[in-house]
Amino acid sequence: MRVKYFLYTLTLGILIASVAACGKPSETSADSTAPEEKPSGILDKLKPAPKVTVPAGTRIRVALIDGVSSNNSSAGDTFLASLTDPVVIAGKTVLSKGTKVRGRVVDAVGSGRVKGRASIQLKLTDIVRDGGNTAISTKTFSAVAESTKKRDAAIIGGGAGLGAAIGAIAGGGKGAAIGAGVGGGAGTGTVLATKGKEIHYGPETRLTFTLSQPLEI
């Protein structure tokens, strides 16, 4: 009797243990419901790219899109240009060739009568980008027209020679002196009526600017 009771109890315990084991979720099943982790590569792509600093003194070479000149431009006028060379920092291209930039005419002075040579001053102010313009600060690019002193002297001298010839025809002597004075005056008058050289920078003219302050891109 006791043997039968023992066997019955043992069999019942085994059945209960089996049922409990079947009802418990497996570790594999639990792991399968865990959320997937994002690959580190995707997270890296979502991070903003680190900014690069272009140091002051870097040269910015451009080709004009809009022309400027000493006699037709005025202080405050703007112009467009594009980079003719990429800007490379530590082996990385931060501004590619062809990038548009905007500039401003700081001053423009046309040539004067006899005195006063034409001049023009320019600066770059912005980098034109799809995401919005980026302010840029450059040193002033300045240009002054060539002197016309040699030309003026030739005109005055030529007028004096012509006047002397006229004076000689009139009777020589005193007449020649009078003619030289008249001719010289005529030559000087020609100079007074003639402007010096102007500065004209048409489209595709290449200019070089220098950063005056660091640029963070």
Side-chain angles (χ1 to χ4, degrees), residues 30-84:
D31 291 341
S32 64
T33 59
E36 296 182 359
E37 293 182 3
K38 292 184 178 180
S40 59
I42 296 177
L43 293 177
D44 292 338
K45 290 181 179 179
L46 295 177
K47 293 180 181 179
K51 292 188 176 183
V52 178
T53 299
V54 183
T58 300
R59 292 186 176 183
I60 309 294
R61 296 179 174 85
V62 305
L64 295 180
I65 296 175
D66 301 323
V68 294
S69 64
S70 58
N71 59 330
N72 290 324
S73 298
S74 301
D77 290 351
T78 60
F79 61 89
L80 275 177
S82 62
L83 298 187
T84 58

Side-chain angles (χ1 to χ4, degrees), residues 3 11 33 35 40 73 130 185 189 191 204:
V3 175
T11 302
T33 59
S40 59
S73 298
D130 293 336
V191 174
E204 300 186 7

Side-chain angles (χ1 to χ4, degrees), residues 12-186:
L12 181 61
I14 293 172
L15 289 174
I16 293 173
S18 299
V19 171
C22 291
K24 183 179 180 180
S26 64
E27 293 181 1
T28 303
S29 175
D31 291 341
S32 64
T33 59
E36 296 182 359
E37 293 182 3
K38 292 184 178 180
S40 59
I42 296 177
L43 293 177
D44 292 338
K45 290 181 179 179
L46 295 177
K47 293 180 181 179
K51 292 188 176 183
V52 178
T53 299
V54 183
T58 300
R59 292 186 176 183
I60 309 294
R61 296 179 174 85
V62 305
L64 295 180
I65 296 175
D66 301 323
V68 294
S69 64
S70 58
N71 59 330
N72 290 324
S73 298
S74 301
D77 290 351
T78 60
F79 61 89
L80 275 177
S82 62
L83 298 187
T84 58
D85 300 307
V87 176
V88 180
I89 303 297
K92 180 180 179 180
T93 299
V94 294
L95 291 174
S96 59
K97 178 181 178 180
T99 299
K100 299 293 189 303
V101 293
R102 192 181 304 280
R104 176 172 55 87
V105 177
V106 177
D107 193 21
V109 179
S111 64
R113 310 289 181 179
V114 182
K115 294 182 179 180
R117 291 153 65 181
S119 64
I120 193 166
Q121 295 182 335
L122 310 170
K123 273 189 175 183
L124 296 183
T125 58
D126 299 276
I127 298 172
V128 181
R129 311 175 78 181
D130 293 336
N133 295 355
T134 301
I136 184 175
S137 180
T138 66
K139 294 181 180 180
T140 302
F141 171 91
S142 300
V144 179
E146 295 179 9
S147 174
T148 60
K149 287 183 179 180
K150 290 183 179 180
R151 187 204 65 178
D152 296 347
I155 293 174
I156 294 172
L162 177 61
I166 294 173
I169 295 173
K174 186 177 179 180
I178 295 174
V182 173

